[in-house]
Amino acid sequence: MHHFHYLKNELYCEDIPVTEIALAVGTPAYIYSHATLKRHFRAFDSAFEGMKHLTCFSMKSTSNLAILKLFASEGGGVDIVSGGELYRALKAEVEPAKIVFSGVGKKVEDLEYALESDILMFNVESSQEIIKLNEVAKRTGKKARIAVRVNPDVDPKTHPYISTGLKENKFGIDINDAPEQYILAAGLKNIDVTGVSCHIGSQLTQSSPFVDALSKLKGLIRMLEDTGITIRYLDLGGGLGITYDSEDPPLPDEYAGAISKELGTADLTLILEPGRVITGNAGILVTKVLYTKTAREKTFFIVDAAMNDLIRPSLYDSYHAVQPVRKSDRGTVTADMVGPICESGDFFAKEREMDAFEPGDLAAIMSAGAYGFSMSSNYNSRPRACEVIVNRDRFYIIRARETFEDLIRGETSPDCLI
Ligand SMILES: Cc1ncc(COP(=O)(O)O)c(C=O)c1O
């Protein structure tokens, strides 16, 4: 459910025609619906009502301050993976006691920063990281709360690049080796063992892999209890999928129900790290058709957005629906929608039946709210798009379009090199 809809052939975001926004801010532009963001956050969070839990939005999916602030005001925390994300989270007034720090390669400076900020816990992924964290905590006079990120070897049945809980993936510690790491951590003075965590992958369309992972984690928690290690937090990561095309993932209520059933009466606080399921369908990327080209029965619509703005199709061959911002009576054609970047991988749709666009038309690339802007880059020296949020009949620019000056900020050309 989202708030992008047609009224008299015009695509609206909430109560504003998308054309009106595009005319005001230019293209390409990311447009988010405030109502959708809020609704998705609440639907997810309230699905866990009755269970002790904390929803830590995974800000790698969408990291704009305005959006983080919205979730913080709803009582949410965040899942971070870098010092930069911690900085953003604190700027967005997320409570440090609701921040969990994931990631396989945390830098010492970032460990220090997170310790100083007194975050809830570090999800540690190797024995070297545990030892390093203990050293840093000792040096700074702190005690670090940790969960060991466990790799439960469960197949999430998703794209290999976003599958993280299999033996061959670089993430976490093999569940069979985890007890040893817990014993190591429990023996360190500046480490406080508080949790178990896992994240098995992204865009999962079934509940069963989550339940299988949870079942394995429960076994581990029982084993740890037998050795005198008490676990208070169980972090199940993120990963719940959305409908991009015809996928039919479980709704948050079904997902939470399956988890609750498997969890039983265990006295644990659940931590959830949803990203995509909250923001994915709450944002679109609006782009303008620059040129159309037909050669040897193949039609291309060349648009002003590119893989630097939205890399998912190029990276994962992922599907995003392409919709006209203003429906025409020109009918449809089978075409490729491509960007201007010098890479054949720069496309949004291939051999897809879509509106017979003409130069100047606007197209909406749907379901671009997660891993869209946050994965964007300046490749081909393209300034990054602006981000806009709509609240009913008003819109706000929440990130200005980058300028050419932004592109060279920080670069210097010493005269001695010439
Ligand atoms: C540790 C961790 N938690 C949460 C997420 C969020 O996943 P999703 O956006 O699929 O909910 C990710 C995504 O890769 C992750 O790596």
Side-chain angles (χ1 to χ4, degrees):
M1 162 68 208
H2 58 71
H3 294 77
F4 295 96
H5 58 99
Y6 284 99
L7 197 64
K8 293 191 184 141
N9 292 331
E10 278 284 345
L11 182 65
Y12 276 66
C13 177
E14 301 194 14
D15 302 333
I16 311 185
V18 168
T19 304
E20 189 181 317
I21 304 170
L23 282 175
V25 305
T27 53
Y30 275 93
I31 300 178
Y32 306 93
S33 153
H34 181 267
T36 312
L37 291 166
K38 202 158 160 174
R39 182 191 168 102
H40 286 180
F41 184 88
R42 287 185 178 174
F44 189 94
D45 193 51
S46 64
F48 288 88
E49 236 167 41
M51 287 177 257
K52 276 193 289 178
H53 77 281
L54 179 59
T55 301
C56 291
F57 173 64
S58 188
M59 62 180 280
K60 64 165 77 75
S61 62
T62 321
S63 54
N64 186 287
L65 289 184
I67 294 174
L68 299 179
K69 233 174 180 167
L70 168 64
F71 299 149
S73 75
E74 293 286 314
V78 289
D79 159 48
I80 59 165
V81 289
S82 68
E85 286 198 349
L86 176 54
Y87 178 77
R88 278 183 177 277
L90 297 176
K91 285 277 175 210
E93 292 162 28
V94 177
E95 289 171 49
K98 294 181 177 175
I99 299 178
V100 291
F101 195 169
S102 305
V104 71
K106 303 179 192 77
K107 297 201 296 187
V108 167
E109 309 87 278
D110 294 346
L111 296 176
E112 277 167 7
Y113 182 25
L115 279 166
E116 270 163 28
S117 308
D118 201 18
I119 65 162
L120 176 60
M121 73 181 186
F122 297 80
N123 290 341
V124 295
E125 303 215 15
S126 64
S127 53
Q128 289 184 8
E129 185 187 342
I130 297 171
I131 292 163
K132 183 63 73 188
L133 180 58
N134 183 58
E135 268 170 39
V136 177
K138 188 173 172 195
R139 182 159 35 83
T140 52
K142 309 269 184 206
K143 201 154 185 175
R145 288 174 288 275
I146 68 147
V148 173
R149 177 166 171 183
V150 168
N151 185 331
D153 195 25
V154 167
D155 184 357
K157 301 182 182 83
T158 187
H159 190 285
Y161 284 13
I162 46 177
S163 156
T164 54
L166 281 167
K167 261 202 173 98
E168 65 259 34
N169 298 133
K170 69 178 174 183
F171 302 98
I173 289 172
D174 188 301
I175 191 155
N176 300 309
D177 301 333
E180 202 184 308
Q181 301 305 322
Y182 272 98
I183 290 165
L184 161 80
L188 299 172
K189 267 206 172 132
N190 293 74
I191 296 287
D192 178 10
V193 176
T194 52
V196 170
S197 83
C198 83
H199 169 78
I200 56 173
S202 204
Q203 183 53 11
L204 271 71
T205 53
Q206 297 167 32
S207 293
S208 53
F210 294 111
V211 172
D212 293 348
L214 174 54
S215 158
K216 290 191 172 184
L217 296 187
K218 273 172 53 187
L220 172 65
I221 291 172
R222 274 194 300 270
M223 200 188 293
L224 293 175
E225 260 158 21
D226 291 345
T227 62
I229 297 173
T230 307
I231 297 300
R232 292 191 289 140
Y233 293 101
L234 174 55
D235 183 341
L236 286 177
L240 187 57
I242 62 169
T243 304
Y244 284 101
D245 183 10
S246 54
E247 306 91 331
D248 188 21
L251 292 170
D253 273 345
E254 295 168 62
Y255 163 74
I259 288 172
S260 161
K261 192 165 162 222
E262 179 61 34
L263 190 63
T265 53
D267 183 22
L268 293 160
T269 298
L270 269 185
I271 294 179
L272 293 315
E273 301 174 356
R276 186 189 316 269
V277 69
I278 294 182
T279 52
N281 280 321
I284 61 173
L285 174 62
V286 180
T287 183
K288 187 160 74 184
V289 178
L290 297 174
Y291 305 105
T292 68
K293 194 156 93 166
T294 303
R296 276 173 241 103
E297 288 165 35
K298 194 146 173 86
T299 297
F300 294 98
F301 295 132
I302 302 157
V303 296
D304 66 358
M307 64 191 284
N308 75 297
D309 299 301
L310 176 67
I311 202 173
R312 298 190 68 257
S314 315
L315 193 59
Y316 312 125
D317 202 16
S318 59
Y319 179 95
H320 286 266
V322 171
Q323 291 182 194
V325 167
R326 184 171 283 160
K327 285 185 184 168
S328 75
D329 50 15
R330 290 180 223 128
T332 59
V333 288
T334 300
D336 286 12
M337 182 165 276
V338 300
I341 283 186
C342 315
E343 301 273 346
S344 298
D346 181 23
F347 66 91
F348 295 115
K350 274 190 166 167
E351 287 294 307
R352 184 101 59 83
E353 189 175 343
M354 60 180 100
D355 249 55
F357 289 107
E358 284 189 351
D361 285 347
L362 295 174
I365 299 168
M366 306 302 289
S367 313
Y371 306 101
F373 186 87
S374 66
M375 289 180 97
S376 65
S377 75
N378 291 122
Y379 186 42
N380 273 211
S381 285
R382 290 169 50 88
R384 279 184 294 175
C386 61
E387 292 179 288
V388 172
I389 196 164
V390 173
N391 187 6
R392 297 194 194 138
D393 59 356
R394 302 193 67 164
F395 70 86
Y396 306 85
I397 296 174
I398 53 172
R399 193 179 204 276
R401 181 179 306 287
E402 286 180 350
T403 61
F404 290 162
E405 292 78 51
D406 291 329
L407 291 177
I408 55 167
R409 178 160 305 123
E411 290 183 28
T412 49
S413 46
D415 285 344
C416 62
L417 299 181
I418 301 163

